Amino acid sequence: MIKAVIFDKDGVIHKSLDGVIKARDNYLKKYNINDLNLIKESMLSQRDFVRLINKKYKAKINRHDFDVNTRKEIVQYIKDIGVNDGLLNFIKELKDNNIKIAIASNNCKEYIIEDLNNLKIFNLFDIIVSTDDVKNHKPHPEMFLKAAELLDVSPEECVGIEDSPKGIQAINNAGMKSIGFITKYTAEVDFKDANIIISSFNKLNLQKINKE
């Protein structure tokens, strides 16, 4: 029986990719860089994205300035769009059945906490594991194993929910049951390695998880 559910944040808790794309595009226009296709195709970390742009366009974009300005726009986007459909009902079911819940995100803890507070769901999660807490990022399983350790449950008693193949790989490598969450950006992605595949939390419940 499942005793804990570990959620990725971006894409799973809330839609964010549209906001990231828009924020990066708006920022680059200040440097007369118009390359929306590159932005969409290279969803890298902030650090790696700035490196890519500076190299390709011989630009001198400051990483800190890029972070601060794009972050403002992303935060507002997340506030406006809210959580994914069905999430709150699913979390309520988990809470009603004493299932522990966690966040495991390839994001810094400061941003995770800010986003969860803005969405008014921070207090729903028992623990948060971020890039600040581990040496190895996804697809390495360390983040999910750390979450299980902090929740005081075995990996076999956990299920992880991710919206990318490398996230599913991290869950599977941790020895947990995996759920692939399809978004409009991953509709063509092969989630064959996931134990369960969903496109909405309205299609997920404990019975389905424990049955698969």
Side-chain angles (χ1 to χ4, degrees):
M1 295 291 288
I2 293 299
K3 294 185 178 179
V5 175
I6 304 171
F7 296 81
D8 178 36
K9 186 180 80 71
D10 295 288
V12 173
I13 296 297
H14 56 77
K15 299 178 181 70
S16 58
L17 199 50
D18 283 338
V20 172
I21 291 170
K22 182 179 178 183
R24 289 180 173 183
D25 185 43
N26 287 341
Y27 184 90
L28 292 182
K29 284 177 179 175
K30 296 191 302 183
Y31 290 83
N32 295 315
I33 297 173
N34 293 282
D35 200 337
L36 191 57
N37 286 333
L38 177 64
I39 296 171
K40 289 180 177 179
E41 293 168 3
S42 60
M43 291 314 298
L44 304 170
S45 68
Q46 295 282 77
R47 178 193 63 190
D48 292 340
F49 182 76
V50 170
R51 286 177 176 173
L52 175 64
I53 293 297
N54 281 340
K55 181 178 181 180
K56 179 175 180 178
Y57 288 99
K58 295 181 172 54
K60 295 182 179 180
I61 295 173
N62 178 272
R63 160 74 189 285
H64 176 72
D65 185 69
F66 179 82
D67 281 348
V68 170
N69 285 280
T70 56
R71 178 63 186 165
K72 289 178 182 177
E73 196 166 339
I74 293 167
V75 166
Q76 189 57 54
Y77 177 85
I78 292 172
K79 285 181 181 179
D80 292 342
I81 201 164
V83 300
N84 282 329
D85 290 345
L87 175 70
L88 295 181
N89 286 336
F90 178 57
I91 289 179
K92 183 179 185 304
E93 182 186 11
L94 298 179
K95 292 289 188 180
D96 288 346
N97 286 274
N98 298 313
I99 305 296
K100 298 176 181 179
I101 61 174
I103 292 283
S105 171
N106 271 355
N107 219 321
C108 70
K109 186 159 288 183
E110 177 187 354
Y111 288 177
I112 296 171
I113 292 173
E114 180 181 22
D115 290 340
L116 296 181
N117 274 322
N118 285 335
L119 293 168
K120 297 178 171 52
I121 59 172
F122 173 75
N123 292 333
L124 296 178
F125 294 90
D126 297 296
I127 61 104
I128 294 170
V129 178
S130 71
T131 53
D132 302 329
D133 304 304
V134 295
K135 293 181 179 179
N136 302 293
H137 303 168
K138 304 170 190 175
H140 195 281
E142 183 183 1
M143 193 169 285
F144 285 95
L145 293 172
K146 182 71 172 180
E149 177 187 352
L150 293 174
L151 291 171
D152 195 27
V153 295
S154 68
E156 295 77 15
E157 295 172 317
C158 297
V159 60
I161 307 177
E162 278 277 0
D163 68 333
S164 70
K166 74 175 183 179
I168 295 298
Q169 183 183 345
I171 297 169
N172 291 342
N173 288 343
M176 301 176 180
K177 182 177 288 189
S178 57
I179 298 176
F181 190 86
I182 298 174
T183 70
K184 73 176 185 179
Y185 290 100
T186 58
E188 304 301 322
V189 172
D190 189 353
F191 281 99
K192 61 181 176 60
D193 293 328
N195 299 114
I196 301 170
I197 301 173
I198 61 170
S199 58
S200 169
F201 283 107
N202 291 321
K203 300 178 181 180
L204 187 65
N205 54 47
L206 277 177
Q207 182 180 7
K208 183 179 179 70
I209 292 173
N210 287 317
K211 182 180 178 181
E212 297 292 333

